Amino acid sequence: MVYTKSMVATKSMVVIVTLLLLGGCQTWKPVGGESPRASGIQQLEQELAEMPAAPSATLAQPPQDVMQALLPPLSVQRLLEPTEQRFDITVENSAARDFFMGLVQGTPYNMVVSADIQGQITLDLKNVTVGEVMNTVRQVYGYEYRRLGNLFQVIPARLETAIFQVNYL
């Protein structure tokens, strides 16, 4: 094989670049002893050893009445109360009155449906509570309701008058 001058120059450049790259990966150690990094680490270790020990963790405890004000008492009763029951519901073209009455069967809730309530309801909901179903039906179908504790009252949508006392200038 015959090498031209440009081929020899190219191969020489490849060899030189390879040697420079490999030489750059080598760790260099100063001639006079250890590296500046090692001496810096030793100096930090020495300064840390000379620092006074941290004070003990015996911090003054605040008075008991302050602790009681900061931490409300834990109510075990609230932790033991069951959360609201969740269920899946699928209804297709059910009369609204029958839907509302059937919704609370087997739950601790009561339902009162106005005689003026009419229409059909279709829905398919997963993992919901009675309150969430009622809110969804209100938003989608427009059936208004009031909740008083465990009682739901389904009422027809109508104009209501309310009086508010405004006591400022």
Side-chain angles (χ1 to χ4, degrees):
M1 180 169 192
V2 178
Y3 292 109
T4 63
K5 205 176 209 184
S6 64
M7 289 175 64
V8 172
T10 304
K11 285 190 177 197
S12 299
M13 289 298 289
V14 169
V15 170
I16 290 172
V17 169
T18 304
L19 289 174
L20 285 173
L21 287 174
L22 290 175
C25 295
Q26 180 182 357
T27 57
W28 293 91
K29 198 170 191 178
V31 178
E34 60 187 46
S35 71
R37 180 179 173 168
S39 66
I41 291 173
Q42 288 175 351
Q43 182 180 2
L44 283 174
E45 288 174 350
Q46 181 182 3
E47 288 177 9
L48 285 173
E50 292 173 358
M51 287 180 65
S56 63
T58 56
L59 299 174
Q61 292 291 328
Q64 189 64 24
D65 58 339
V66 173
M67 289 299 292
Q68 290 300 323
L70 293 176
L71 298 173
L74 178 63
S75 173
V76 177
Q77 183 64 28
R78 292 188 86 186
L79 295 175
L80 297 177
E81 288 177 0
T83 58
E84 195 169 355
Q85 181 182 2
R86 295 190 164 272
F87 53 91
D88 298 343
I89 184 167
T90 302
V91 177
E92 194 167 321
N93 292 327
S94 174
R97 185 174 191 74
D98 295 337
F99 166 76
F100 288 120
M101 296 309 287
L103 180 62
V104 294
Q105 286 182 353
T107 68
Y109 297 106
N110 301 307
M111 182 70 67
V112 176
V113 182
S114 171
D116 297 335
I117 298 298
Q118 298 175 357
Q120 302 287 319
I121 295 178
T122 300
L123 53 84
D124 184 13
L125 301 172
K126 307 284 188 258
N127 197 26
V128 291
T129 63
V130 173
E132 292 170 345
V133 172
M134 293 298 288
N135 283 333
T136 303
V137 170
R138 172 193 282 166
Q139 292 171 357
V140 175
Y141 291 101
Y143 292 108
E144 285 296 321
Y145 75 93
R146 291 188 186 133
R147 181 174 180 179
L148 304 167
N150 285 348
L151 173 67
F152 287 94
Q153 296 174 342
V154 182
I155 54 176
R158 62 177 176 237
L159 185 62
E160 293 183 9
T161 303
I163 298 174
F164 297 96
Q165 296 291 335
V166 180
N167 192 10
Y168 67 92
L169 294 176

